[in-house]
Amino acid sequence: MTKHTYDYGLIGNCSYQAHIHKNTNIEWMCWPRFDSSFIFGKMLDIDKGGEFSILPDGEIKESKQYYLENTNILCTEIASEEGRYRVTDFAPRFHQFDRYFKPLMLIRKVEPIEGRPRVKVACHPVGDYGNLKPTQYEASNHIEYLGLDKEVRLTTNFSLSYIVQNNYIVLNETKYLALTYGAPLEAPLVSTCETFLDRTKRYWRGWVKNLSVSNFHQADINRSALVLKIHQYEDTGAIIAAGTTSLPEAPGSGRNWDYRYCWMRDAYYTLTAFNNIGHFEELERYFNYIVNISVKSRERFQPLYGITGEEMLTERTLDLKGYLGNQPVRIGNQAFTHVQNDVYGQILAALLPLYVDRRFINLERSDSLHLVYDILKQIDQLMHEPDAGLWEFRTLSQYHCYTYLFHWTGAKAAYKIGKMFGDERITQLAEKLIAEASEKIEACFDATRGVYTQAIGSKNLDASNLQLIMMGYLENGSEATQKHLRALEVELKSNEGLFYRYKHADDFGEPETTFLICAFWHVEALTCAGRIDEAIKAFENLLTYSNHLGLLSEDVDAKTGSQWGNFPQAYSHVGLVNAAYRISRKLDRPNFL
């Protein structure tokens, strides 16, 4: 079998994302929100997905794609028989009038590099997941697309007639294309695009300069941090798992899910990564998101919500061909109905720095201590309840070790918060829950194998239990840690150094591909166990499973190294950042030595 990788780069500005193929086509872009219908979606249907491409006359001889260093600005260089040209794609983002300017605007700068290349610009947005084709109207210097929820406009200094008539154009000077949703671009095209490009470049490079990272694989951390940043929907603070839907975990598996929502669990890991690299704005925004969610979630938290807090994320299938013919194509996600009780501990652990880190002003949080206490009470009420677990089993409910680990972790976080603010209600309840969660975790221990199993009464092993080491439940370097780690390695680690979530059959059969973040958890566990050289070697091996831009998928086929699952996956980039942070702390090397 040949190796499959995703030939896409990602751009975004915390309002939207766009996936750009190495052939220049926008293969996936949802407007006006992450979870809206695509307006370009060839990724999932070549016929109904629309198109926005800048293709040469004749065959593409070579395609080179790269980011401008330390930015989310993507360059794609195309070589044909007639010459070479570069397309620079970006979503404007910069400071303006004491806030962030992040419009629903995609800018494409097209420059000749050598020869006299001829290009054809095709722009055909669609609506309602490909079922609606807007009416195209040509004006003086723009094309309007009417029939979508709001006006979509393409403003350009390319010949409109050539675009409309589908003709090739000699590219003998730099051209610009600005696609807008709603408010159109009324300012001068060339100078505005150049100004936006310069200011966006300076914004991203300034953001990267403020990262607090060591020199251990710094470029890889920077890229992952840039990817993670544009997975936050800044308007509300929600953090999505991925910007795509229905990219299969394995070909023909049926494991095709919509990840354009905010999982409480994923957000915890992402915010841990931001905290590790010294960025806190994202955490403060997420705090506001959680406060708004908590107001309407008095009884219990769902595992995930929409990016503006929607509770009903009804799952349905669409009449689309699917990625490489893989169906079904789903939107919505049934997991919103699941019982996944680990989320309570993850919310507390995610918010902990806001309460105990002296860089934040504690008085700003003291009036929300009731939120901490309310979540603790929910953990107390749910301590003896089985759940679907973090892998979201659809027909299996168990007493999962991972869930109890986060009851323990969340109670530990609450205890620290209670101590900080002198709140005895919180500290007393937290102490009780720490002890109860520990008992439940120990009930998962298989003494014969020296390993903690997936759930009470289960013999199955689960890679999520690597986190018993990472979270400090098992003492670093202890014999118990070593035995537990070795047992997980024997059963779940592939010969290639990747990790399966579990090996037993679930609702869709036995898993075919490895889950990339589990391999990064393994790196962290190795580091905690004192096996530093192995951790570094394993980490560097995992970097080889990225695409041409250093972007990581959700799943990897161990035998072929193929990328599968939604892409790029925030989880996987979180794994990279947190594993690198864990290793760099153990190495304890001063920067740049």
Side-chain angles (χ1 to χ4, degrees):
M1 292 179 63
T2 58
K3 182 177 179 178
H4 165 270
T5 56
Y6 290 115
D7 291 334
Y8 311 118
L10 179 73
I11 63 170
N13 63 359
C14 302
S15 288
Y16 79 94
Q17 295 181 352
H19 291 65
I20 301 162
H21 194 276
K22 288 173 72 175
N23 67 9
T24 75
N25 188 45
I26 310 292
E27 294 276 303
W28 184 257
M29 189 168 94
C30 299
W31 266 0
R33 299 175 11 157
F34 293 154
D35 56 357
S36 300
S37 166
F38 59 74
I39 68 163
F40 302 115
K42 271 197 174 181
M43 183 185 286
L44 293 186
D45 197 304
I46 195 168
D47 297 319
K48 297 174 69 174
E51 182 176 1
F52 192 4
S53 61
I54 305 157
L55 297 175
D57 184 13
E59 182 184 347
I60 295 176
K61 297 294 185 183
E62 182 187 354
S63 174
K64 178 185 177 184
Q65 201 170 55
Y66 56 92
Y67 284 104
L68 293 185
E69 188 176 11
N70 290 344
T71 76
N72 278 314
I73 300 169
L74 186 68
C75 296
T76 307
E77 293 186 7
I78 300 292
S80 67
E81 292 285 357
E82 297 176 324
R84 298 175 64 90
Y85 60 95
R86 178 190 303 113
V87 180
T88 301
D89 288 300
F90 69 100
R93 178 178 173 84
F94 47 84
H95 291 283
Q96 181 169 274
F97 306 129
D98 296 324
R99 58 184 182 269
Y100 291 117
F101 178 69
K102 49 184 192 322
L104 295 175
M105 177 186 295
L106 170 71
I107 294 179
R108 317 196 75 177
K109 177 181 179 181
V110 190
E111 304 168 88
I113 299 175
E114 64 177 48
R116 289 174 59 82
R118 289 191 302 153
V119 299
K120 180 170 63 177
V121 176
C123 185
H124 305 295
V126 295
D128 188 25
Y129 291 100
N131 293 317
L132 190 159
K133 294 186 177 179
T135 303
Q136 185 173 293
Y137 172 73
E138 185 181 345
S140 59
N141 64 351
H142 65 266
I143 300 171
E144 294 182 12
Y145 303 92
L146 305 177
L148 302 173
D149 289 341
K150 290 189 178 179
E151 177 191 339
V152 172
R153 178 184 290 191
L154 178 65
T155 303
T156 183
N157 56 354
F158 273 111
S159 164
L160 297 185
S161 298
Y162 278 49
I163 295 175
V164 171
Q165 294 170 14
N166 207 32
N167 290 335
Y168 287 97
I169 307 165
V170 175
L171 186 65
N172 53 14
E173 63 178 354
T174 299
K175 298 289 188 180
Y176 299 85
L177 300 135
L179 189 72
T180 54
Y181 181 93
L185 177 63
E186 302 286 10
L189 177 67
V190 174
S191 60
T192 301
C193 289
E194 283 294 339
T195 298
F196 283 9
L197 176 58
D198 179 66
R199 296 188 68 179
T200 299
K201 186 189 309 178
R202 285 191 282 122
Y203 166 78
W204 285 120
R205 287 179 174 169
W207 188 84
V208 169
K209 281 182 181 178
N210 286 322
L211 296 177
S212 177
V213 296
S214 76
N215 61 326
F216 179 76
H217 285 280
Q218 191 178 74
D220 299 301
I221 298 171
N222 291 349
R223 177 50 50 203
S224 288
L226 285 161
V227 169
L228 291 174
K229 176 63 176 175
I230 56 177
H231 278 72
Q232 183 167 54
Y233 187 65
E234 193 166 74
D235 184 59
T236 63
I239 297 170
I240 59 170
T244 54
T245 179
S246 302
L247 300 186
E249 293 183 14
S253 66
R255 300 175 190 263
N256 310 349
W257 312 115
D258 191 349
Y259 276 10
R260 299 172 298 161
Y261 307 110
C262 182
W263 271 259
M264 304 291 99
R265 179 186 310 112
D266 295 38
Y268 158 70
Y269 289 112
T270 304
L271 292 168
T272 299
F274 279 125
N275 192 37
N276 286 342
I277 58 179
H279 264 284
F280 306 109
E281 177 186 45
E282 296 77 16
L283 176 54
E284 293 190 284
R285 290 185 182 278
Y286 180 70
F287 174 81
N288 293 325
Y289 177 76
I290 287 296
V291 168
N292 282 291
I293 292 291
S294 67
V295 168
K296 54 185 178 182
S297 300
R298 291 294 183 187
E299 292 185 9
R300 67 188 311 149
F301 281 99
Q302 296 177 186
L304 69 155
Y305 292 87
I307 58 175
T308 54
E310 296 90 344
E311 296 177 319
M312 297 292 292
L313 304 174
T314 305
E315 185 174 292
R316 60 189 179 94
T317 60
L318 301 178
D319 183 22
L320 296 172
K321 291 183 173 67
Y323 181 78
L324 300 180
N326 282 273
Q327 293 180 324
V329 173
R330 294 182 173 98
I331 58 172
N333 198 304
Q334 182 195 320
F336 83 92
T337 66
H338 289 187
V339 173
Q340 295 178 33
N341 292 333
D342 56 294
V343 299
Y344 301 96
Q346 281 144 0
I347 291 170
L348 290 173
L351 299 182
L352 176 63
L354 287 176
Y355 291 93
V356 302
D357 193 317
R358 293 294 186 180
R359 286 169 289 188
F360 298 100
I361 300 172
N362 285 332
L363 288 176
E364 294 177 358
R365 310 295 169 209
S366 59
D367 62 350
S368 62
L369 287 175
H370 65 87
L371 173 62
V372 175
Y373 185 67
D374 288 346
I375 294 174
L376 272 182
K377 286 196 298 183
Q378 287 175 308
I379 292 175
D380 190 22
Q381 293 165 7
L382 302 173
M383 183 66 73
H384 305 287
E385 179 183 73
D387 69 356
L390 82 160
W391 306 127
E392 302 181 340
F393 298 125
R394 295 195 167 201
T395 59
L396 178 65
S397 186
Q398 300 182 102
Y399 297 93
H400 288 94
C401 185
Y402 177 89
T403 297
Y404 291 119
L405 173 62
F406 273 91
H407 287 343
W408 181 86
T409 301
K412 283 266 189 178
Y415 182 82
K416 291 178 183 177
I417 294 169
K419 277 292 187 183
M420 173 68 74
F421 289 90
D423 192 316
E424 290 189 5
R425 284 193 319 162
I426 290 176
T427 55
Q428 289 174 5
L429 181 54
E431 282 185 307
K432 169 181 174 288
L433 296 178
I434 290 168
E436 290 184 5
S438 296
E439 289 179 9
K440 296 290 188 181
I441 293 170
E442 291 305 315
C444 298
F445 185 64
D446 182 336
T448 303
R449 293 184 288 173
V451 67
Y452 291 81
T453 64
Q454 185 177 70
I456 296 174
S458 172
K459 291 293 184 182
N460 297 322
L461 299 191
D462 190 318
S464 68
N465 286 345
L466 288 164
Q467 295 191 55
L468 291 164
I469 302 170
M470 297 156 51
M471 305 303 297
Y473 181 84
L474 294 177
E475 185 180 345
N476 284 0
S478 68
E479 184 59 28
T481 291
Q482 303 293 353
K483 285 184 177 180
H484 177 66
L485 179 52
R486 283 195 293 268
L488 291 174
E489 288 172 332
V490 167
E491 184 157 326
L492 300 179
K493 181 184 172 186
S494 78
N495 292 332
E496 298 77 13
L498 297 162
F499 244 81
Y500 292 90
R501 289 175 286 183
Y502 45 84
K503 285 287 191 73
H504 62 277
D506 59 18
D507 312 298
F508 294 85
E510 293 182 6
E512 299 174 56
T513 52
T514 66
F515 205 59
L516 198 51
I517 195 174
C518 294
F520 283 115
W521 290 342
H522 177 231
V523 171
E524 289 198 66
L526 284 171
T527 306
C528 293
R531 295 160 60 183
I532 308 300
D533 290 342
E534 289 179 72
I536 293 171
K537 184 178 179 181
F539 179 87
E540 292 175 343
N541 175 56
L542 295 179
L543 297 181
T544 67
Y545 293 100
S546 67
N547 79 345
H548 60 289
L549 292 165
L551 304 183
L552 299 169
S553 61
E554 177 186 25
D555 303 272
V556 175
D557 184 303
K559 291 183 175 61
T560 65
S562 295
Q563 295 185 315
W564 294 105
N566 284 302
F567 174 86
Q569 178 77 359
Y571 238 7
S572 299
H573 286 280
V574 162
L576 186 154
V577 170
N578 290 339
Y581 174 78
R582 182 89 67 172
I583 290 171
S584 66
R585 287 193 66 187
K586 280 285 187 178
L587 294 176
D588 198 26
R589 294 173 183 162
N591 285 355
F592 310 110
L593 290 182

